Amino acid sequence: MLSPTYNFDCTELQQQITASNIELGEKGYSINHIDNPIYNDVPDTNEDFFAKTRRSIENLKEHQDIHVRLLRSKKTDLKTRH
């Protein structure tokens, strides 16, 4: 079994999570933290993984109009088949 890796600087992420938790608490929501480590069998470093994820999200954002048209087209195709 692989062990979770925590060897990256998560200061900014932790600050964002903390700010979100405070905001949710002020709105009356309670936060229930769970221990849910990520096990990764990919040889990428954390930095590589996050860089790939960021590129993927930026690509989706840049081309979202194309993705929306494709999804709408697919939905229309499914409706006409029934």
Side-chain angles (χ1 to χ4, degrees), residues 37-60:
I38 297 173
Y39 297 94
N40 190 348
D41 194 21
V42 179
D44 289 343
T45 64
N46 289 321
E47 290 80 13
D48 290 341
F49 173 79
F50 284 118
K52 288 178 183 179
T53 302
R54 183 179 302 270
R55 281 194 306 270
S56 297
I57 293 169
E58 289 169 352
N59 183 48
L60 286 171

Side-chain angles (χ1 to χ4, degrees), residues 5-80:
T5 55
Y6 299 105
N7 61 349
F8 64 98
D9 181 13
C10 61
T11 305
E12 183 179 346
L13 176 61
Q14 187 61 46
Q15 289 171 346
Q16 291 172 352
I17 291 170
T18 300
S20 295
N21 288 348
I22 291 170
E23 183 179 344
L24 289 170
E26 289 172 349
K27 292 182 178 183
Y29 294 94
S30 62
I31 307 298
N32 183 18
H33 295 277
I34 59 172
D35 183 22
N36 190 16
I38 297 173
Y39 297 94
N40 190 348
D41 194 21
V42 179
D44 289 343
T45 64
N46 289 321
E47 290 80 13
D48 290 341
F49 173 79
F50 284 118
K52 288 178 183 179
T53 302
R54 183 179 302 270
R55 281 194 306 270
S56 297
I57 293 169
E58 289 169 352
N59 183 48
L60 286 171
K61 184 178 178 184
E62 182 178 338
H63 301 291
Q64 73 183 22
D65 60 323
I66 294 170
H67 297 294
V68 169
R69 282 192 307 236
L70 288 172
L71 288 172
R72 286 182 180 153
S73 172
K74 186 66 171 173
K75 186 177 179 182
T76 302
D77 288 347
L78 291 173
K79 284 182 179 179
T80 58

